[in-house]
């Protein structure tokens, strides 16, 4: 049986355009609409009854967009959302943005076409201006793990700058002066804010620190391995690594060991997020706790409240209720040096 993607490929359009035609949505020209309908007939496409029913049931549903369904961080996000949905007897419609701007846009547009009133969106790649426009269209749209000043009353986010400061402070207190930072390029502002926090903390001390910032593309285990390989190949001297997340940190530890270096005896490593893998690795990883499950629950509750028009989001805004504070979790991957 053909799918919406099959129809889109045959018609040379996006799946979102096919979905608009199926649901009699706007933004599709007459010629394109007729072409899609013709191809649907030729391929004997039958719309999914369950998907169509969502349009009717959207008052008892919540639409979700997460960047990656395989990453443990996003699994914790989904679990937090699921907790609230279960309490309120709501259905969840989940889409993945796959760390791709076009995919994120398509995922949000599909939810808008199905007329969801409550949306929780984690967007890693869409620009601020576009997300602000989406928020203006949908009163119940809330951004998770993303802060945009213009719509901050619709955002739930972590104080990444404070998190970066905690990482740097702990490393400095343990006597480290040569520090490598493994960041991630192109993902929102999380990396920038964490690096700003690290540098601001280091600037408080009357000591010169040697900092090497390495930005690479993948926020994954493999990305950590590649980053360390590049640092060693360039002959960079470092006694400590501050990693964008736990996955990168674990990959970094693996590559350090592959080169005969011991953690933490030769190199200390700090991660970020405090996922289960941080506790399972050897040595157990010192990291920053990110209360992402609590944030996801808060975002879901806020989206549902706003979708029902219960109060005005701006009038009830309190930064203490929207911005969450990270915490340092000390384990075994950092060693004090003289």
């Amino acid at each position: 049986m053909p799918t919406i993607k099959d129809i889109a490929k045959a018609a040379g359009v996006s799946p979102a355009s096919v979905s608009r035609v199926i649901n009699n949505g706007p933004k599709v020209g007459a010629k394109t609409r007729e072409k899609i309908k013709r191809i649907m007939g030729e391929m004997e496409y039958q719309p999914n009854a369950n998907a169509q029913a969502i349009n009717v049931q959207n008052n008892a549903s919540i639409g979700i967009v997460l960047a990656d369904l395989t990453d443990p961080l996003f699994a914790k996000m989904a679990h937090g959302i699921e907790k609230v949905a279960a309490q309120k007897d709501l259905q969840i419609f989940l889409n993945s943005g796959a760390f791709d701007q076009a995919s994120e846009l398509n995922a949000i547009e599909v939810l808008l076409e199905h007329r969801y009133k409550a949306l929780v969106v984690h967007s890693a790649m869409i620009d601020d201006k576009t997300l602000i426009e989406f928020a203006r269209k949908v009163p119940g749209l809330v951004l998770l793990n993303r802060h945009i000043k213009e719509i901050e009353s619709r955002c739930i986010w972590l104080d990444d700058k404070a998190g970066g400061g905690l990482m740097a402070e702990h490393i400095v207190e343990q006597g480290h002066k040569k520090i490598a930072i493994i960041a991630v390029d192109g993902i929102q502002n999380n990396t920038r804010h964490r690096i700003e926090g690290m540098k601001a903390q280091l600037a408080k001390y009357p000591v010169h620190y040697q900092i090497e910032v390495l930005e690479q593309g993948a926020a994954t285990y493999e990305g950590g391995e590649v980053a360390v390989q590049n640092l060693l190949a360039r002959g960079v001297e470092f006694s400590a690594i501050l990693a964008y997340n736990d996955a990168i940190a674990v990959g970094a530890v693996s590559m350090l060991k592959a080169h005969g270096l011991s953690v933490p005896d030769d190199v200390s490593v700090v991660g970020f997020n405090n996922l289960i893998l941080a506790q399972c690795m050897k040595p157990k990883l010192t990291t920053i706790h990110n209360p992402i499950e609590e944030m996801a629950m808060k975002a879901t509750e806020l989206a549902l409240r706003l979708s029902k028009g219960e109060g005005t989001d701006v009038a009830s805004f309190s930064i203490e209720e929207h911005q969450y504070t990270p915490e340092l979790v000390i384990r075994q991957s950092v060693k004090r040096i003289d």
Side-chain angles (χ1 to χ4, degrees):
M1 179 180 291
T3 65
I4 286 180
K5 289 185 177 180
D6 296 328
I7 302 297
K9 183 177 181 180
V13 299
S14 69
S17 295
V18 177
S19 180
R20 291 188 187 103
V21 172
I22 293 171
N23 294 289
N24 295 316
K27 299 182 181 180
V28 181
K31 290 184 178 180
T32 301
R33 188 180 296 272
E34 288 304 316
K35 181 181 180 181
I36 292 172
K37 286 183 176 180
R38 175 176 55 79
I39 292 174
M40 287 170 60
E42 292 173 353
M43 299 181 70
E44 298 182 352
Y45 172 76
Q46 295 295 325
N48 187 310
N50 290 331
Q52 288 184 316
I54 290 172
N55 282 327
V56 179
Q57 300 171 359
N58 59 15
N59 286 329
S61 305
I62 183 166
I64 311 297
V65 176
L66 300 182
D68 185 356
L69 303 184
T70 62
D71 189 303
L73 179 69
F74 297 102
K76 292 183 75 172
M77 284 187 193
H79 190 233
I81 295 168
E82 186 181 39
K83 278 185 177 180
V84 176
Q87 292 170 2
K88 300 182 181 296
D89 196 25
L90 298 173
Q91 294 182 345
I92 295 176
F93 187 87
L94 179 61
N95 260 338
S96 171
F99 285 107
D100 175 76
Q101 186 181 60
S103 296
E104 286 186 1
L105 287 168
N106 181 64
I108 295 174
E109 287 175 354
V110 167
L111 295 177
L112 294 182
E113 288 158 14
H114 286 303
R115 300 178 181 85
Y116 280 91
K117 293 184 178 180
L119 302 181
V120 175
V121 175
H122 177 280
S123 172
M125 310 305 292
I126 300 175
D127 61 274
D128 289 358
K129 183 178 179 181
T130 301
L131 290 173
I132 291 171
E133 288 301 315
F134 278 131
R136 287 172 179 165
K137 292 178 182 178
V138 186
L141 185 149
V142 172
L143 296 180
L144 174 57
N145 205 35
R146 178 82 173 259
H147 176 234
I148 300 177
K149 180 65 177 177
E150 291 83 350
I151 53 170
E152 61 182 359
S153 60
R154 311 272 292 279
C155 301
I156 301 295
W157 72 96
L158 183 72
D159 189 345
D160 283 293
K161 188 171 182 178
L166 288 173
M167 298 171 83
E169 181 180 38
H170 182 58
I171 283 295
V172 167
E173 287 177 347
Q174 303 309 309
H176 296 271
K177 295 184 178 65
K178 296 181 179 181
I179 304 166
I181 300 172
I182 303 178
V184 178
D185 188 24
I187 297 182
Q188 315 171 7
N189 295 315
N190 297 52
T191 292
R192 179 170 60 83
H193 290 156
R194 291 175 192 178
I195 293 175
E196 286 176 357
M198 294 172 192
K199 291 184 175 180
Q201 184 64 37
L202 294 175
K204 295 179 181 180
Y205 300 95
V207 178
H208 174 72
Y209 292 95
Q210 182 178 322
I211 304 172
E212 182 77 16
V213 179
L214 177 66
E215 291 192 284
Q216 43 84 28
T220 62
Y221 175 94
E222 292 79 12
E225 288 188 316
V226 171
V228 168
Q229 184 73 24
N230 290 340
L231 287 168
L232 296 175
R234 287 161 47 196
V236 177
E237 294 185 11
F238 55 92
S239 65
I241 290 176
L242 305 182
Y244 171 79
N245 64 15
D246 292 341
I248 287 177
V250 174
V253 171
S254 173
M255 186 55 67
L256 289 168
K257 290 181 177 179
H259 282 267
L261 297 171
S262 172
V263 176
D265 292 336
D266 297 316
V267 180
S268 293
V269 179
V270 181
F272 203 109
N273 285 330
N274 193 28
L275 301 178
I276 186 66
L277 54 86
Q279 302 174 48
C280 295
M281 66 169 282
K282 292 184 179 181
K284 293 185 177 181
L285 184 67
T286 292
T287 184
I288 301 297
H289 178 64
N290 180 354
I292 194 64
E293 189 170 318
E294 296 172 37
M295 291 165 59
M297 294 177 68
K298 179 71 173 182
T300 307
E301 291 167 351
L302 177 60
L304 292 170
R305 180 166 57 83
L306 294 177
S307 70
K308 296 175 183 177
E310 296 178 359
T312 58
D313 54 327
V314 176
S316 61
F317 175 73
S318 167
I319 192 167
E320 289 79 13
E321 295 181 4
H322 289 245
Q323 177 178 269
Y324 281 67
T325 303
E327 297 177 359
L328 177 68
V329 180
I330 299 176
R331 295 196 178 100
Q332 302 161 354
S333 63
V334 176
K335 179 181 179 181
R336 180 172 181 79
I337 62 175
D338 295 329

